[in-house]
Amino acid sequence: MRDRISLIRSFAYSPFAYSPFAHSPFAHSPFAYSPFAHSPFAHSPFAHSPLTIRRSLLVIVGPTAVGKTALSLHLAEVFDGEIVSADSRLLYRGMDIGTAKPTPAEQARVPHHLIDVANPDETVGLAEYQEQAYAAIDAIHERDRLPILVGGTGQYVRAVVEGWRIPRVPPHPDLRAELEAQAAREGPDALHARLAALDPVAAERIHPNNVRRVIRALEVCLVTGRPISEQQGKRPPPYPILQIGLTMDRETLYARIDRRVEGMIEAGLVEEVRRLIEAGYDWHLPPMSGLGYVQFQPYFEGSATLEEVVTEIKHETHRFVRHQYNWFDLDDSDIHWFDVVETPLKAIERAVQTWLS
């Protein structure tokens, strides 16, 4: 795999300088480092040049903090694009710093979609997300512009790119609470065994420790009376798709994550979480139970220091990166991987230009 990445980055003569995001109000924040800012290709001959954008979809994936936002902004400006978020955490209003949401200045540079579409106590399921993403992509095509799907939520990306058929079964809170209680009482293996009895195909696909997915599969089975595996399938969208993956050495990425977490604290993350709590959003809500937020619960309950919370967020984010690489496999031939530390922006831009041409 490393040889394949080396071939992709064959134009690499020098690493990117780590520098703050251009035009960002966080320009001097420790977490706002971009591997693409001040690139020697910033003034591309392709920028502002006429280019016919056929109906297609550009996708940018990779782990958190690798530089997806910076690259997406640059490519959208060069190729007359609009950005469609594929990050589950960016859907929610008021959760800005802890999610590294594109800033107002960044969103003003390029149209963004599927950001701030729900309150933290509202549920946006995978089927609803997919429907809204396809609608946004279609609307961008109608404007003769290039849709750019950007994010690190693997399930969201695949649902769009692979055209998952998703059962339209809304959440049933009482049933979910019952299943969660069973998992807590008897253990996740017992819940998984129940799924295996109803839908052995789904049980084979879902690890017993992934309790949330086991519960969803059981919920669909119990509500519809049919196995979820029979209601699923794939029908890819009818346009060409180019998937670009960004990666870097794991230790380098961890160091970037740690700097970003520290910058989030400086930018007011504690106050952001406090506002959410004061607004009545409970820790058990899915957005509040997510990375960068739920770790503050012991702090606000007086059982942990801020330093301990910061350490925990860093640790959990490192773990989350490992999970993301399960979704975005470096050996996936459908993803064109670039090591952002060693690849000039020119090489990535040239790849997109060649594909569009």
Side-chain angles (χ1 to χ4, degrees):
M1 181 61 217
R2 303 305 302 176
D3 291 340
R4 193 164 78 85
I5 291 178
S6 296
L7 288 173
I8 292 173
R9 68 190 189 209
S10 58
F11 296 103
Y13 299 109
S14 61
F16 288 126
Y18 285 101
S19 51
F21 284 125
H23 313 300
S24 167
F26 296 120
H28 302 290
S29 165
F31 73 89
Y33 290 97
S34 163
F36 301 110
H38 306 304
S39 161
F41 207 58
H43 303 288
S44 165
F46 296 130
H48 313 300
S49 66
L51 181 68
T52 299
I53 305 295
R54 67 181 186 271
R55 294 204 169 211
S56 51
L57 175 65
L58 176 62
V59 182
I60 301 174
V61 301
T64 189
V66 79
K68 297 185 297 295
T69 295
L71 177 64
S72 66
L73 287 167
H74 177 79
L75 293 180
E77 290 175 330
V78 170
F79 296 109
D80 194 25
E82 300 184 24
I83 294 170
V84 180
S85 171
D87 188 322
S88 61
R89 306 191 317 149
L90 301 191
L91 293 167
Y92 299 100
R93 304 181 187 99
M95 307 183 78
D96 304 329
I97 299 172
T99 62
K101 186 176 294 179
T103 66
E106 289 168 336
Q107 293 188 50
R109 289 169 55 189
V110 172
H112 283 68
H113 305 271
L114 295 184
I115 292 179
D116 290 340
V117 300
N119 292 324
D121 59 352
E122 296 174 323
T123 299
V124 180
L126 181 60
E128 183 179 357
Y129 166 79
Q130 183 195 51
E131 181 179 327
Q132 292 188 24
Y134 281 144
I137 291 168
D138 289 344
I140 295 168
H141 283 155
E142 289 299 318
R143 292 188 286 274
D144 292 323
R145 306 192 78 192
L146 175 66
I148 306 176
L149 185 71
V150 183
T153 302
Q155 194 175 34
Y156 279 25
V157 172
R158 286 194 179 180
V160 172
V161 170
E162 299 177 1
W164 288 3
R165 287 170 45 214
I166 304 167
R168 301 286 297 187
V169 177
H172 287 66
D174 291 343
L175 177 56
R176 288 188 175 188
E178 175 189 325
L179 295 172
E180 288 169 357
Q182 180 182 355
R185 184 176 63 253
E186 303 175 20
D189 287 339
L191 199 66
H192 191 265
R194 184 176 177 183
L195 175 62
L198 293 172
D199 188 348
V201 175
E204 181 69 23
R205 295 172 181 169
I206 303 173
H207 194 280
N209 290 340
N210 195 333
V211 175
R212 181 173 293 184
R213 287 191 64 198
V214 171
I215 288 176
R216 175 56 179 170
L218 280 168
E219 179 181 44
V220 173
C221 290
L222 294 171
V223 170
T224 65
R226 294 174 54 211
I228 189 174
S229 59
E230 291 182 0
Q231 304 180 54
Q232 296 173 322
K234 296 178 182 179
R235 186 179 181 183
Y239 35 74
I241 298 173
L242 173 65
Q243 294 189 68
I244 288 177
L246 303 183
T247 189
M248 64 172 61
D249 172 77
R250 195 69 60 90
E251 293 306 314
T252 303
L253 180 59
Y254 288 166
R256 285 172 57 84
I257 287 169
D258 293 349
R259 292 196 303 270
R260 188 166 80 163
V261 171
E262 292 164 4
M264 288 175 173
I265 299 299
E266 293 182 11
L269 179 56
V270 177
E271 290 73 21
E272 177 173 279
V273 178
R274 191 189 311 276
R275 286 195 299 272
L276 291 165
I277 295 170
E278 291 175 350
Y281 297 119
D282 186 84
W283 294 111
H284 297 293
L285 294 170
M288 290 294 288
S289 65
L291 180 61
Y293 291 90
V294 72
Q295 288 79 19
F296 279 95
Q297 182 174 2
Y299 172 77
F300 282 102
E301 293 175 349
S303 60
T305 66
L306 181 57
E307 182 180 1
E308 290 171 333
V309 170
V310 170
T311 298
E312 182 66 11
I313 293 175
K314 290 177 181 178
H315 172 77
E316 287 301 309
T317 307
H318 296 178
R319 189 178 67 82
F320 178 59
V321 163
R322 295 191 290 273
H323 173 73
Q324 287 179 302
Y325 274 115
N326 290 332
W327 280 102
F328 307 123
D329 193 332
L330 290 171
D331 290 319
D332 187 341
S333 60
D334 290 331
I335 302 175
H336 301 270
W337 286 100
F338 295 89
D339 186 315
V340 300
V341 175
E342 300 187 24
T343 309
L345 181 56
K346 179 177 181 179
I348 302 176
E349 191 170 337
R350 184 175 295 164
V352 176
Q353 160 69 16
T354 301
W355 174 68
L356 288 173
S357 298

